[in-house]
Amino acid sequence: QVQLVESGGGSVQPGGSLTLSCTGTGFLFGNTAISWSRQSPGKEREFVASLSWIGGDGDYADFVKGRFTISRDDGQRMAYLQMNNLKPEDTAVYQCHIPGTTFWGRGTQVTVSS
């Protein structure tokens, strides 16, 4: 059974940082790309970042380039989203998922507010 579980969300002031974690079980984690997407109230869900099983630098939405970094630790079956210089518009529920599938985590709330 495929499961993706996010953690690490919370409340932070503008300019602050958070690191989100995603634990994946029930599939070959080391052979699977992992993505992060987010959804704010009243807005469509939007892609944030993705990292292939090969690794590399990852792909990012323009609005997070230079601020967010996606990474993975296959030995721990974990993916991460390091978020720096957070802005109020980054407030959303962040979900990790396997791209091109219906496998999504439930999400973790990130709130950026002064």
Side-chain angles (χ1 to χ4, degrees):
Q1 178 182 358
V2 174
Q3 282 194 316
L4 296 162
V5 180
E6 304 91 341
S7 62
S11 295
V12 64
Q13 293 187 338
S17 298
L18 282 173
T19 299
L20 306 183
S21 300
C22 171
T23 302
T25 57
F27 60 99
L28 293 175
F29 191 93
N31 290 354
T32 305
I34 297 293
S35 296
W36 288 92
S37 294
R38 70 186 188 185
Q39 188 165 24
S40 304
K43 293 182 66 176
E44 295 284 323
R45 180 186 288 161
E46 57 187 359
F47 166 80
V48 174
S50 187
L51 186 61
S52 78
W53 62 274
I54 298 173
D57 294 333
D59 295 313
Y60 298 89
D62 287 342
F63 53 79
V64 302
K65 282 182 179 176
R67 300 189 298 125
F68 290 13
T69 302
I70 188 171
S71 62
R72 59 191 297 153
D73 183 339
D74 292 342
Q76 297 295 319
R77 306 182 66 86
M78 298 284 290
Y80 304 96
L81 187 68
Q82 171 70 41
M83 307 185 295
N84 297 325
N85 191 22
L86 282 161
K87 305 175 181 181
E89 52 264 41
D90 293 319
T91 295
V93 174
Y94 286 72
Q95 294 173 280
C96 65
H97 56 104
I98 300 174
T101 75
T102 58
F103 300 120
W104 291 69
R106 291 187 174 184
T108 185
Q109 175 71 46
V110 172
T111 302
V112 185
S113 174
S114 55

